[in-house]
Amino acid sequence: MRTVIANWKMNPETVEEAKRIFSGIKRISTNLKRTQVVVAPPTLFAPLFVKAQHKKLVVAAQDTWYEQKGSFTGQISPTMLVDAGVSSTIIGHSERRALGETNELIQKKVIAALKAGLGVTLCIGETTRDADGSYFNGIRTQLASALTGLPRVALAQLVIAYEPVWAIGAIEPMNTHDIHSMMIFIKKTLGDIFTKDVAKTIPIVYGGSVFAENAAEIIEKGGVQGLLVGRESLTNGFLDLLKIVDAVK
Ligand code: PGA
């Protein structure tokens, strides 16, 4: 099964527009054969859509917190998301890391979310690429720190989203050759953290300037199990993207 995650970020501005965008995705989702679409709207809008969920259409949050309740003004806990019918959450998106989220905070969130029964899409990615390849160490650290202490049973609920930060909101995605090498590196690192067999079962998706026009190539040549889509997920192009991804053999 492939996974395509629609990260709406802080869009759209109105309930009406959110409903319009969601209804298009819902319509396409019923015909998907090998693709699950995960829609991550602003959390305030999520309850509008949870009843529409089915095997191929899942509603997610874009972030959560590491305690289930308490004095944390402005936060929404994993338990609250589960109780409101939300199925999973993104954690560690680069736009949250840019606001100051550390690997340590991200690890606490991952554990709390999985414990509450939420699926987790853990975002990782380097901010820049240096010629000596030291960004590989950064990726290893992001993975190792976020995934330490996870209960094995929870791993079935985990997706890794590799998003090179410099390719997010850009014109072009990373080239498929480099995506492919990074997929091998991430699998190997997951194998070191858990075991090779466990690593094989954890899906890895790519994100960063994915559009309908480049989605098939990334799936075919990048060796990824899915995509994380920002801007395009708010447009009609996303409906084409879903059909294209689902048609790739
Ligand atoms: P983009 O965003 O598709 O607009 O580049 C991707 C992301 O931030 O997840």
Side-chain angles (χ1 to χ4, degrees), residues 23 43 99 124 164-165 176 189 211 220 239:
S23 71
T43 310
L99 292 172
I124 55 166
V165 179
T176 51
T189 307
F211 299 97
E220 280 167 344
L239 310 182

Side-chain angles (χ1 to χ4, degrees), residues 35 41 123 188 240:
T35 310
C123 295
K188 184 176 173 311
D240 295 333

Side-chain angles (χ1 to χ4, degrees), residues 7 9 93 95 163 167-170 208-210 228-231:
N7 179 13
K9 309 191 180 185
H93 190 277
E95 286 154 16
E163 301 199 287
I168 294 176
S209 298
V210 176
L228 200 165
V229 186
R231 285 158 294 169

Side-chain angles (χ1 to χ4, degrees), residues 71-85:
S71 303
F72 299 100
T73 301
Q75 301 299 346
I76 295 171
S77 82
T79 306
M80 291 169 184
L81 291 171
V82 170
D83 195 56

Side-chain angles (χ1 to χ4, degrees), residues 13 36 47 49 59 73 80 85 115 146 157 166 194 211 240:
E13 287 170 82
Q36 182 184 63
F49 308 132
V59 176
T73 301
M80 291 169 184
K115 265 196 188 146
Q157 300 302 318
W166 46 270
F194 305 109
F211 299 97
D240 295 333

Side-chain angles (χ1 to χ4, degrees), residues 167-235:
I168 294 176
I171 299 167
E172 299 262 334
M174 185 187 215
N175 72 66
T176 51
H177 178 268
D178 287 347
I179 294 175
H180 194 258
S181 331
M182 196 47 105
M183 290 304 128
I184 293 168
F185 177 76
I186 293 170
K187 272 273 177 259
K188 184 176 173 311
T189 307
L190 291 173
D192 295 342
I193 297 171
F194 305 109
T195 63
K196 241 184 176 176
D197 286 346
V198 168
K200 273 189 211 146
T201 66
I202 302 174
I204 311 172
V205 306
Y206 167 83
S209 298
V210 176
F211 299 97
E213 306 84 70
N214 55 33
E217 191 188 348
I218 296 172
I219 295 281
E220 280 167 344
K221 299 191 186 152
V224 300
Q225 280 85 54
L227 302 165
L228 200 165
V229 186
R231 285 158 294 169
E232 183 84 315
S233 70
L234 296 153
T235 71

